[in-house]
Amino acid sequence: MKTEYQQKVINRIKSIREEKGITQLAFAKLLDISPGQMGNIDSYKQPHKYTIKQIVTICDSLGVNIEKVLFLENDSLEDFSVREVVNAIIRYQESSK
């Protein structure tokens, strides 16, 4: 299963996608995944999540800083150190236990 943090990142991406008026189908095509896999990623019940490469593609395609996706508690998006970004990526990749 996904960790709470992973689901929050996925929800943030979903929110940004919806704000920009991009359908789940169009998003799946952007990421070169099936619509079913896209639905599994969005679902709380499924273990599927975005890869880091997909998150970078999403951020580049939507014109969003990766910090906006990974640092959920801080909407002011102050300058983050490289170390903080790396730690957020590691946290996202960690499996739930």
Side-chain angles (χ1 to χ4, degrees), residues 9-28:
V9 168
I10 290 166
N11 290 343
R12 173 66 64 98
I13 291 170
K14 181 179 178 181
S15 176
I16 293 167
R17 173 182 63 78
E18 290 174 345
E19 286 171 11
K20 295 192 177 275
I22 301 170
T23 65
Q24 199 177 48
L25 179 61
F27 213 55

Side-chain angles (χ1 to χ4, degrees), residues 5 7 10 12 18-19 24-25 27 29 47 56 60 65 71-72 77 79-81 83-84 91-94:
Y5 176 69
Q7 190 62 53
I10 290 166
R12 173 66 64 98
E18 290 174 345
E19 286 171 11
Q24 199 177 48
L25 179 61
F27 213 55
K29 287 181 182 180
V56 170
D60 289 348
N65 291 331
F71 295 98
L72 307 171
L77 299 179
D79 292 335
F80 293 99
S81 72
R83 179 63 179 228
E84 289 170 313
R91 182 176 175 202
Y92 177 79
Q93 287 184 322
E94 289 179 338

Side-chain angles (χ1 to χ4, degrees), residues 44-59:
Y44 287 105
K45 297 178 183 178
Q46 298 296 324
H48 302 82
K49 64 183 184 207
Y50 295 112
T51 65
I52 296 302
K53 184 177 179 179
Q54 288 170 333
I55 291 175
V56 170
T57 298
I58 289 165
C59 291

Side-chain angles (χ1 to χ4, degrees), residues 12 64-80:
R12 173 66 64 98
V64 175
N65 291 331
I66 197 165
E67 295 90 344
K68 182 171 183 171
V69 172
L70 296 177
F71 295 98
L72 307 171
E73 300 82 26
N74 189 347
D75 287 330
S76 67
L77 299 179
E78 299 169 7
D79 292 335
F80 293 99

